[in-house]
Amino acid sequence: MKQLIIQTKNVALIFVSFLALNSCKVTFVPSYDSKISEQIDETSKSVDLFYLNMLETTSDKDTSREFDKFSEKYVELEVELNSLLNKNKVRPLNKSSTRICEITLQLWQKYKGIHKKDDKLTNGEIIYNRKIFNDLFYAMQVAEIGKKLAENPPQ
Amino acid sequence: MKLDIDEILADMLSAIKGTVAENWKEVQSIANQFLQNKKERLDLLAELRINGDLNQEKFESYLEDEKLVLEAELHAIAIISKAIAQKATNAAISVLEKAVKAIISSVV
């Protein structure tokens, strides 16, 4: 009986030592990735520039806003959004950031489709599209800040 | 040296509370910014509709898109909340680790 108690104590000591020496940490969110954060920033600036240029240098009163004049830039920016989505998709525990990217891409494709169908955009549409994407990129950046927040080790 | 579970639990709770409180202001300011962004979008949408810059069909389509933008914003807040939970849990585990290490070093 005495030997059993000693054995139990030893097992408990080994368990506690394991716990203490193996620095247990829980993970609910993926680690912060500065490259993805930079890519969000760059893509956000490119989309902003795209809509501001369209608003300032073209008009819906003539042919300067026809879809063909912007199709190449639409494709280029969609590639960036796809890249962000794929980079987020492959990271574990990253469903929320992935969903934000999916929504951004979904709306990008929708607004591109509207421009293509109407073959023009009004100033109002450009202003609103620009605002929506600014706010979606802000949500993406907030998500990245969250990951950075989780990394600060407890004091 | 004795392992005082009650004291360790109290320290762990205090570590959790400290971490959450420390980050609450950050969550609050982000949530406020999302609300402000939404207000600006809805104001803009109403203005564009009133001015005739948007027809009724496009106005309704944009209102529908607002649901998706809200979903995206809630996902961003979810990440912040999970990050705070992670930080608080690890702070509590760290308290336990330190207590156990102290016991081990006094025994060995």
Side-chain angles (χ1 to χ4, degrees), chain A residues 85-143:
Chain A
L85 173 61
N86 289 331
K87 281 178 186 168
N88 276 300
K89 254 188 196 171
V90 295
R91 298 167 77 195
L93 303 168
N94 204 31
K95 279 188 180 169
S96 287
S97 281
T98 302
R99 183 65 190 135
I100 299 171
C101 286
E102 279 171 354
I103 288 169
T104 308
L105 184 60
Q106 183 183 335
L107 290 179
W108 179 261
Q109 288 167 339
K110 179 181 173 180
Y111 299 157
K112 182 186 77 174
I114 289 171
H115 192 170
K116 190 173 185 177
K117 184 174 141 275
D118 296 349
D119 210 17
K120 65 171 187 177
L121 278 184
T122 64
N123 285 349
E125 285 173 296
I126 295 173
I127 292 168
Y128 200 74
N129 291 357
R130 178 179 172 238
K131 174 71 180 146
I132 267 201
F133 287 113
N134 268 335
D135 293 350
L136 283 169
F137 283 116
Y138 176 73
M140 274 189 216
Q141 285 292 21
V142 163

Side-chain angles (χ1 to χ4, degrees), chain A residues 11 23 25 80 97 109 134:
Chain A
V11 170
S23 237
K25 291 268 183 285
E80 281 303 309
S97 281
Q109 288 167 339
N134 268 335

Side-chain angles (χ1 to χ4, degrees), chain A residues 13 16-17 19-30 93-97 99-100 103 106-107 110-111 114 117-118 120 122-129 131-132 135-136 138-140 142-147 149-155, chain B residues 3 19 23 26-27 29-30 33-34 36-38 40-42 44-45 48 53-54 57-58 61-66 68-69 71-80 82-87 89-94 96-98 100-101 104 107:
Chain A
L13 189 64
V16 165
S17 306
L19 180 74
L21 299 173
N22 281 283
S23 237
C24 290
K25 291 268 183 285
V26 297
T27 308
F28 303 141
V29 293
L93 303 168
N94 204 31
K95 279 188 180 169
S96 287
S97 281
R99 183 65 190 135
I100 299 171
I103 288 169
Q106 183 183 335
L107 290 179
K110 179 181 173 180
Y111 299 157
I114 289 171
K117 184 174 141 275
D118 296 349
K120 65 171 187 177
T122 64
N123 285 349
E125 285 173 296
I126 295 173
I127 292 168
Y128 200 74
N129 291 357
K131 174 71 180 146
I132 267 201
D135 293 350
L136 283 169
Y138 176 73
M140 274 189 216
V142 163
E144 287 308 310
I145 287 167
K147 292 163 194 168
L149 187 74
E151 279 184 358
N152 296 336
Q155 299 304 308
Chain B
L3 192 65
T19 309
N23 294 294
E26 195 152 354
V27 179
S29 80
I30 285 164
Q33 187 59 55
F34 282 148
Q36 180 61 30
N37 289 348
K38 181 158 283 295
E40 284 169 11
R41 286 196 307 275
L42 293 178
L44 181 61
L45 202 53
L48 294 172
D53 280 325
L54 288 180
E57 186 193 350
K58 282 183 178 161
S61 171
Y62 276 131
L63 274 184
E64 196 61 29
D65 296 342
E66 279 297 323
L68 286 173
V69 180
E71 187 191 335
E73 290 170 338
L74 291 177
H75 274 292
I77 288 177
I79 291 179
I80 298 273
K82 282 183 197 171
I84 291 171
Q86 177 177 321
K87 203 175 164 188
T89 308
N90 286 333
I93 289 173
S94 173
L96 177 64
E97 278 178 350
K98 278 179 191 162
V100 171
K101 274 181 185 168
I104 291 170
V107 171

